[in-house]
Amino acid sequence: MKLASFLYQGKRSYGIVQADGVIDLGRRLGDRYGDLKALLQGNGLALATRYLNDAVDVPMSAITFLPVIVQPEKILCVGMNYADKRKEFDQHNPAPTLFVRFPDSQTGHNEPVLKPRHSSEFDYEGELAVIIGKGGENISRDDALRHVAGYSCYMDGSARDWQHTWFTAGKNWRQTGAFGPWMATADEIPDPHQLAIRTWLNGRMVQEDNTSSMIHKVAELIEYISTFTRLSPGDVIITGSPGGVGKKRNPPLFMKEGDRIEVEIEHIGHLSNVIVEAPAVGLAAAH
């Protein structure tokens, strides 16, 4: 089952994605579960499956995609988690590299990604996102995947010239991270480490790898993270990017206004966004 968060006729909702449109779960379950995070918090995935054979309510062309989880309590990001990426950045620390994103740094599929006006080194990173379905702390790696609700694509846009010894400033500009188009539930992805992952910039493939190349696997990351913070349903773990980032190319390759950036992960989906220069005055419109 694939689940998306979206806007339709100005109203937020969520639903089951089918080839020809969306089955609107907000109409059916909204009084109990107001959004996709609430559905996960209420252990409502099994209930959602009852509607899998319903007719679609909304054509895909009529919706505006939101980030899969619009307001995660936590967005925990893993850096330097593919061998080629570690070589590019000459990284040797054996422990997972972690940083955080804030919810307003995200945007949805087919929505603009905002290039920070104060950055001339806005880089792409295609990544596998893990959505937590069952909360907990001190989760063992043997049990960890049972805490996963599903998986999605993520484009972790990075203002490299704002990353120094810490990553936060380079990762939290408004609408710089794209999350979607939807979540593939964990039952569709029996092994999250057998997925081809690719990134395109203006139709040119710039990253290509397989999630089997991750150094710290999903279960290990959940175990590690849950030792120091309690995970909650709807939390998101972004698991790192393959090699091929623009910063380490010769010459460097950075995103600019009008570029199209795409991330595709096998069995999950194809995320696509156009880069737009952030407005000079005021804030970007938030959904």
Side-chain angles (χ1 to χ4, degrees):
M1 181 168 60
K2 291 182 170 63
L3 297 167
S5 298
F6 59 89
L7 278 173
Y8 176 60
Q9 294 182 341
K11 184 178 178 181
R12 286 190 188 189
S13 192
Y14 63 100
I16 300 169
V17 176
Q18 303 284 33
D20 52 345
V22 178
I23 300 166
D24 191 341
L25 292 177
R27 292 186 190 177
R28 294 161 173 80
L29 301 173
D31 56 338
R32 294 176 61 183
Y33 309 116
D35 58 15
L36 186 48
K37 183 171 79 170
L39 184 79
L40 299 181
Q41 289 172 330
N43 198 27
L45 281 180
L47 178 59
T49 63
R50 297 182 188 178
Y51 303 101
L52 267 170
N53 296 319
D54 284 13
V56 302
D57 300 298
V58 187
M60 207 72 76
S61 60
I63 67 172
T64 298
F65 283 95
L66 297 170
V68 176
I69 306 294
V70 177
Q71 286 286 332
E73 194 173 296
K74 298 183 181 79
I75 307 169
L76 297 133
C77 310
V78 184
M80 308 299 164
N81 201 26
Y82 284 76
D84 287 349
K85 178 79 172 292
R86 288 172 71 88
K87 289 177 187 174
E88 286 179 344
F89 284 82
D90 194 27
Q91 175 60 248
H92 303 285
N93 190 335
T97 299
L98 296 179
F99 57 94
V100 297
R101 266 190 176 272
F102 308 136
D104 68 352
S105 73
Q106 302 188 124
T107 192
H109 170 62
N110 277 341
E111 289 299 285
V113 164
L114 299 183
K115 178 197 160 303
R117 297 186 68 86
H118 296 285
S119 175
S120 58
E121 297 186 357
F122 189 41
D123 208 347
Y124 52 82
E125 297 195 68
E127 311 198 17
L128 174 71
V130 178
I131 298 101
I132 298 296
K134 177 185 173 186
E137 54 190 331
N138 296 311
I139 300 166
S140 73
R141 73 182 65 187
D142 290 341
D143 193 43
L145 293 187
R146 286 188 280 274
H147 287 255
V148 175
Y151 302 91
S152 188
C153 305
Y154 211 99
M155 198 295 292
D156 183 27
S158 305
R160 297 290 187 199
D161 39 1
W162 282 76
Q163 289 180 203
H164 305 293
T165 57
W166 60 313
F167 296 127
T168 303
K171 296 287 189 173
N172 280 287
W173 299 80
R174 183 179 290 270
Q175 289 180 223
T176 53
F179 184 15
W182 42 69
M183 175 183 85
T185 51
D187 58 298
E188 292 198 358
I189 312 293
D191 184 353
H193 299 291
Q194 293 297 324
L195 305 172
I197 179 169
R198 301 180 180 92
T199 306
W200 289 268
L201 181 60
N202 298 325
R204 170 189 174 188
M205 189 183 295
V206 288
Q207 292 181 295
E208 182 178 24
D209 208 326
N210 191 285
T211 55
S212 61
S213 299
M214 278 187 201
I215 294 164
H216 303 291
K217 308 301 187 189
V218 171
E220 179 190 347
L221 292 170
I222 292 172
E223 179 184 66
Y224 181 79
I225 290 167
S226 69
T227 60
F228 67 83
T229 187
R230 181 175 180 82
L231 290 170
S232 301
D235 285 352
V236 181
I237 300 173
I238 307 169
T239 56
S241 169
V245 296
K247 174 74 173 178
K248 295 300 181 179
R249 289 179 176 267
N250 188 14
L253 179 64
F254 295 117
M255 297 186 292
K256 60 187 185 302
E257 185 167 33
D259 286 349
R260 179 171 292 278
I261 187 70
E262 301 168 85
V263 178
E264 182 179 61
I265 304 178
E266 186 179 15
H267 304 308
I268 295 177
H270 190 114
L271 173 66
S272 181
N273 300 84
V274 170
I275 308 301
V276 174
E277 187 85 7
V281 178
L283 298 176
H287 294 305

